[in-house]
Amino acid sequence: MILDNLKNFFNPVPSIGGLEISDLILRFARIENGKLKQASVQLPPGLITDGKIQDRAKVIVGLKALHQQIASLNKPIHVIAIIPSDGVYTQALAMPLVAEKNVRETAELNLRMISPIDIKSSYYSYQILGENQQGQMEILGAFANSAGVEEVINLLKEANFFTIAVEFSSLSLARIIKEYAAGLKPEIPYLVINLSSDGPDLMIVKNGNLYFNLFKSWASLQKEISGRKLTSQDVQDFLISHVKQILNFYSSRWGASVTEVLLINTPISKEIIQAVKVSFGLNVQILTIMKFGQLSPLWYGVLGAALRGQLPRSKDRLITLTAVGVEEEYFRESTLRFIKKWRNFIAGTFIFVALVFTVANFILIRYSKVVSQDLTESNSVPLQDIADLQTKVRLFNRDVDLVAKIQEETIPWSPLWVKLRTLAAEKVTLERVYVDPSLNVSLSGRAVNDTAVITFKNKMIEEPNFKDVVLPLSNIKANTDGTVSFILNLKITSLKF
């Protein structure tokens, strides 16, 4: 507990909220001490259409306005971003049970094979659903166009929002159903109907996991009816048609029937309940959440993202439609935050010590003047007292010199770690760094291939503060996963990077 408190003091973990970007509104939610902090900004029509950014500058203005409702603009806010569902594709699939260390490689291979869009221009991710009756591992895969995701991340960055992960509203809503829904049977499948602000979203949820979802934007739905104004009957017709398709798909895919429907409350809930019961004979209930019960259903998605923000990053194994660079950026930002915290702490300590010395010096000067005055006024002052005072002054000055000498001899290690991390880049991971008193260094690590190791070695040779860089071929070994391990030795000539 004490170590955790010290860790949080010197490198505090930032609070992470959820941020939803939809066609007409920006929503933010963060759970703080069991309470929900909310902020929102309405967007004029046309800035975002069917999930695509149309006016970048005005969207940034809206994001900055949202930021100012939460904190000052110069303070970064960490978020789980919810992107519009229009461009997100999901698919559940089964794959053989493999060793835990091989799960990621096997899952990504399967995702590349089934991707509905060009895999080279997409971000894709997965999360484990569980083991099916055939003894296979089931996963849910998600795919999105990488250019669209990067555009959202860059917009958020310009408004000083730091993106931890990117997901979509169905995934966030499934999390709320799992954690907060009341009166549900987790082992049976539910058809969830959500008429969101962007369009109808139909999904299958079982055991708190999302197995399937189908989204249709209001704009595309309106085009299907020749552009006329949508009515309640139009929405019911769409639901009846697609609910039937989803029920048939689930029955053929998983060999079971869906008998329960969970409806996210909407102004036309009564009409939808009646239509579904009459058409399919299914049991329909309104979603009720046990926490934040007064919250509008329009906020359920961003609440789900905020709930994900409560997870430690090391335990977050959920879908995130981001590049590896986002994770590395989080690590870099955490490292810089740690260094900054220590820098401020050390600077504050030296300022305090300097202040103490200044005050002490002032007191001694005053005391010395008083003593001199007493000596002038009276010849009865013992010489021994004067000698004792001079001895104390010499001891004090010696202590001051000792503190200054210790400060000069302190070796600054942080520039070395930053330099090694920079030279390693993305393709090399340093696993062990040993430095002896003579500044001889032994590095051991792992790289994606032999070329990456040689490139790393050449960078080390070019660094003026290193010499005697040695990497024998015998120190490079191939691993079973395709990577290579290596041991490199060198001599540090200077720590002034």
Side-chain angles (χ1 to χ4, degrees):
M1 180 63 72
I2 296 177
L3 290 176
D4 289 341
N5 291 336
L6 286 174
K7 181 180 177 181
N8 289 332
F9 174 77
F10 288 114
N11 193 23
V13 177
S15 298
I16 301 174
L19 195 157
E20 180 181 19
I21 300 175
S22 63
D23 286 1
L24 296 175
I25 193 169
L26 306 172
R27 293 188 181 94
F28 172 87
R30 186 169 61 203
I31 300 173
E32 299 177 351
N33 300 319
K35 297 181 180 180
L36 191 64
K37 181 181 180 66
Q38 298 172 253
S40 64
V41 170
Q42 292 287 144
L43 295 178
L47 300 190
I48 304 176
T49 304
D50 288 343
K52 296 180 176 60
I53 309 298
Q54 305 297 333
D55 193 326
R56 192 173 188 277
K58 290 183 179 179
V59 173
I60 293 175
V61 171
L63 286 169
K64 288 183 177 181
L66 181 70
H67 192 296
Q68 288 177 317
Q69 293 183 34
I70 307 162
S72 61
L73 271 177
N74 59 359
K75 180 179 180 181
I77 298 175
H78 297 72
V79 296
I80 307 292
I82 303 177
I83 60 175
S85 299
D86 301 61
V88 179
Y89 306 89
T90 60
Q91 184 170 337
L93 65 147
M95 63 184 196
L97 288 175
V98 295
E100 183 177 354
K101 64 180 181 179
N102 298 325
V103 169
R104 180 175 179 178
E105 181 181 357
T106 305
E108 290 184 350
L109 176 61
N110 280 270
L111 292 177
R112 288 193 291 270
M113 293 174 62
I114 66 167
S115 175
I117 57 178
D118 183 6
I119 200 68
K120 295 180 180 179
S121 60
S122 67
Y123 288 153
Y124 55 96
S125 182
Y126 73 95
Q127 64 186 46
I128 297 174
L129 300 177
E131 184 177 340
N132 63 19
Q133 295 179 349
Q134 289 73 38
Q136 297 175 306
M137 178 181 293
E138 285 191 305
I139 64 172
L140 177 71
F143 309 82
N145 180 268
S146 57
V149 174
E150 282 300 322
E151 184 173 26
V152 171
I153 292 175
N154 290 331
L155 287 173
L156 291 171
K157 189 173 184 180
E158 290 203 32
N160 209 13
F161 286 103
F162 185 84
T163 306
I164 301 299
V166 175
E167 61 180 24
F168 49 101
S169 59
S170 301
L171 201 63
S172 304
L173 184 56
R175 191 174 304 116
I176 289 299
I177 293 172
K178 179 179 181 180
E179 300 295 335
Y180 292 156
L184 300 187
K185 301 175 183 178
E187 69 279 2
I188 67 172
Y190 283 83
L191 170 63
V192 181
I193 301 176
N194 178 30
L195 300 184
S196 71
S197 57
D198 286 340
D201 199 356
L202 308 178
M203 62 194 83
I204 296 291
V205 174
K206 180 182 177 183
N207 293 323
N209 291 316
L210 178 67
Y211 275 73
F212 173 87
N213 85 290
L214 171 68
F215 175 83
K216 189 82 168 179
S217 70
W218 293 120
S220 59
L221 185 57
Q222 192 171 26
K223 289 179 182 178
E224 293 181 359
I225 58 173
S226 303
R228 62 179 173 81
K229 185 177 180 181
L230 285 169
T231 66
S232 172
Q233 189 59 49
D234 293 326
V235 176
Q236 293 177 56
D237 292 342
F238 169 83
L239 292 177
I240 297 305
S241 172
H242 288 79
V243 165
K244 182 178 181 180
Q245 296 176 17
I246 293 173
L247 294 178
N248 292 336
F249 169 76
Y250 186 85
S251 177
S252 61
R253 173 70 171 78
W254 281 279
S257 299
V258 177
T259 59
E260 299 287 335
V261 176
L262 195 59
L263 176 63
I264 311 303
N265 202 8
T266 173
I268 59 171
S269 291
K270 291 183 179 180
E271 293 90 332
I272 294 175
I273 292 174
Q274 181 65 20
V276 172
K277 284 185 175 181
V278 170
S279 301
F280 306 104
L282 302 178
N283 180 42
V284 185
Q285 59 179 305
I286 303 292
L287 173 63
T288 303
I289 61 175
M290 296 179 290
K291 197 169 184 180
F292 310 115
Q294 302 302 316
L295 190 67
S296 166
L298 295 174
W299 285 82
Y300 286 176
V302 73
L303 173 60
L307 191 60
R308 179 176 180 175
Q310 300 289 291
L311 289 174
R313 294 299 92 213
S314 60
K315 296 182 179 180
D316 190 336
R317 297 290 184 268
L318 306 176
I319 288 173
T320 176
L321 297 169
T322 54
V324 176
V326 174
E327 298 174 3
E328 293 179 348
E329 181 73 7
Y330 178 78
F331 172 79
R332 187 189 71 84
E333 193 263 353
S334 298
T335 302
L336 292 177
R337 188 173 63 248
F338 175 78
I339 294 173
K340 183 178 179 181
K341 186 76 175 180
W342 268 102
R343 181 196 65 190
N344 294 341
F345 175 76
I346 294 173
T349 300
F350 280 114
I351 291 173
F352 175 76
V353 171
L355 181 62
V356 170
F357 286 161
T358 301
V359 173
N361 189 50
F362 176 77
I363 293 174
L364 287 175
I365 291 173
R366 290 286 302 275
Y367 186 67
S368 177
K369 289 181 178 180
V370 170
V371 170
S372 298
Q373 184 176 358
D374 290 343
L375 287 173
T376 302
E377 295 176 352
S378 174
N379 294 325
S380 62
V381 178
L383 293 177
Q384 184 60 41
D385 290 348
I386 297 175
D388 291 343
L389 178 60
Q390 292 175 337
T391 300
K392 290 179 180 179
V393 171
R394 284 195 300 272
L395 290 174
F396 178 79
N397 289 335
R398 185 194 65 184
D399 291 342
V400 172
D401 293 339
L402 180 60
V403 170
K405 183 178 180 182
I406 292 174
Q407 170 61 21
E408 292 176 356
E409 295 177 351
T410 301
I411 299 176
W413 292 107
S414 58
L416 172 61
W417 311 139
V418 173
K419 174 59 69 175
L420 291 176
R421 176 66 181 172
T422 302
L423 294 176
E426 298 179 356
K427 295 185 179 180
V428 176
T429 302
L430 298 180
E431 297 176 338
R432 181 176 180 270
V433 179
Y434 173 74
V435 184
D436 68 14
S438 300
L439 297 183
N440 294 307
V441 182
S442 175
L443 303 177
S444 61
R446 183 184 294 262
V448 297
N449 50 43
D450 294 342
T451 302
V453 176
I454 300 304
T455 301
F456 176 61
K457 173 193 172 185
N458 293 336
K459 289 182 180 179
M460 301 292 283
I461 293 175
E462 294 172 359
E463 174 56 42
N465 289 5
F466 298 152
K467 71 174 185 178
D468 300 335
V469 179
V470 179
L471 178 59
L473 291 178
S474 59
N475 283 8
I476 302 177
K477 297 181 179 179
N479 300 315
T480 58
D481 62 356
T483 63
V484 295
S485 298
F486 67 91
I487 299 175
L488 182 147
N489 300 309
L490 60 93
K491 171 78 173 181
I492 299 174
T493 59
S494 173
L495 288 170
K496 295 180 179 180
F497 291 95

